[in-house]
């Protein structure tokens, strides 16, 4: 819920609001922990629930066991202040989405949105997408948010090589050495 709320409001000037909400969440969690363990001291409560995560103290954390690897995994609560504030890019008023002369503007705008989404997901995917010139190597069409896409990993010379392709192209025959790497 917290990341969804942050992503919705990140286009406004909301960094102060994010910090305030983070503080209110922390305050509520601290009150909950004190109420749950009324006979324990503040230091014990801090050591049990609030850990240091990525150099930041007082991160609300829980440890669970991973069923597959049987190792302890730490889970921490996401902070709103970690969300990057972005400026909303307005659509130009002198362009028309139905005019073929303005198609290049909307194509650039859509490519920027796809690149931004890929960078948020995984920066490596964005670099692969740019390296492939935003196109599927099988069908040659642009990879964007209008069609589903996936990654295909092939071993080339003993090294894993990821390629972005459309999900519908996955069933077609794929030869990774035929990709132009200019």
């Amino acid at each position: 819920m917290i990341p969804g709320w942050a992503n919705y409001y990140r286009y406004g000037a909301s960094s102060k609001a994010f910090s305030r909400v983070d503080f209110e969440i922390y305050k509520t969690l601290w009150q909950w922990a004190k109420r749950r363990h009324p006979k324990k001291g503040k230091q014990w409560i801090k050591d049990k629930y609030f850990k240091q995560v990525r150099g930041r103290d007082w991160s609300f954390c829980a440890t669970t066991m991973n069923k597959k690897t049987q190792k302890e995994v730490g889970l921490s609560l996401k902070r709103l202040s970690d969300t990057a504030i972005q400026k909303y890019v307005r659509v130009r008023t002198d362009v028309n989405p139905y005019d073929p002369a303005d198609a290049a503007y909307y194509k650039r705008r859509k490519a920027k949105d796809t690149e931004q989404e890929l960078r948020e997901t995984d920066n490596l995917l964005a670099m692969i997408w740019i390296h492939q010139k935003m196109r599927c190597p099988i069908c040659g069409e642009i990879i964007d948010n209008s069609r589903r896409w996936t990654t295909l990993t092939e071993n080339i010379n003993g090294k894993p090589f990821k390629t972005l392709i459309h999900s519908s192209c996955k069933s077609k025959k794929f030869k990774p050495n035929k990709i132009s790497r200019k």
Side-chain angles (χ1 to χ4, degrees):
M1 235 170 142
I2 292 171
W5 190 84
N7 287 335
Y8 183 79
Y9 287 105
R10 72 178 169 186
Y11 293 104
S14 50
S15 63
K16 286 183 181 178
F18 283 0
S19 296
R20 177 65 189 197
V21 172
D22 278 340
F23 174 72
E24 293 297 328
I25 290 172
Y26 156 75
K27 206 165 64 171
T28 305
L29 289 170
W30 182 254
Q31 289 171 351
W32 167 82
K34 285 193 325 185
R35 193 171 53 248
R36 181 170 174 152
H37 303 286
K39 296 181 181 177
K40 298 290 185 179
K42 291 179 182 177
Q43 187 63 41
W44 185 90
I45 292 172
K46 181 203 179 293
D47 292 341
K48 176 148 178 77
Y49 293 109
F50 297 92
K51 311 259 190 280
Q52 184 177 17
V53 177
R54 289 182 226 102
R56 179 185 279 165
D57 276 337
W58 293 91
S59 293
F60 186 75
C61 295
T63 55
T64 61
M65 290 294 287
N66 188 338
K67 293 179 181 177
K68 292 181 181 177
T69 60
Q70 296 300 319
K71 292 183 181 178
E72 278 194 4
V73 177
L75 301 172
S76 65
L77 191 65
K78 181 164 173 51
R79 290 195 182 194
L80 292 169
S81 56
D82 291 340
T83 304
I85 305 299
Q86 296 177 349
K87 298 293 181 192
Y88 181 77
V89 180
R90 293 184 179 152
V91 177
R92 288 185 4 210
T93 57
D94 60 330
V95 295
N96 183 349
Y98 301 108
D99 187 4
D102 297 330
Y105 169 76
Y106 283 101
K107 185 178 176 183
R108 275 193 317 273
R109 192 174 163 86
K110 195 171 191 179
K112 268 288 202 219
D113 290 345
T114 305
E115 180 181 358
Q116 181 179 350
E117 189 174 310
L118 284 170
R119 286 198 189 282
E120 289 172 5
T121 308
D122 186 1
N123 203 23
L124 178 64
L125 288 179
M127 289 174 26
I128 293 169
W129 182 72
I130 291 168
H131 178 73
Q132 290 179 201
K133 297 183 175 122
M134 304 177 282
R135 298 197 175 273
C136 174
I138 298 171
C139 64
E141 294 180 19
I142 290 181
I143 295 175
D144 58 8
N145 299 336
S146 62
R147 283 178 59 190
R148 294 184 64 165
W149 53 268
T150 186
T151 57
L152 189 67
T153 306
E154 295 272 322
N155 281 332
I156 299 176
N157 298 331
K159 294 181 181 177
F161 181 75
K162 279 189 177 181
T163 307
L164 289 173
I165 61 170
H166 291 116
S167 297
S168 58
C169 297
K170 193 171 186 175
S171 61
K172 297 176 184 175
K173 192 167 183 159
F174 177 71
K175 302 252 187 233
N177 55 2
K178 291 195 175 184
I179 298 173
S180 64
R181 292 188 179 98
K182 294 179 183 174

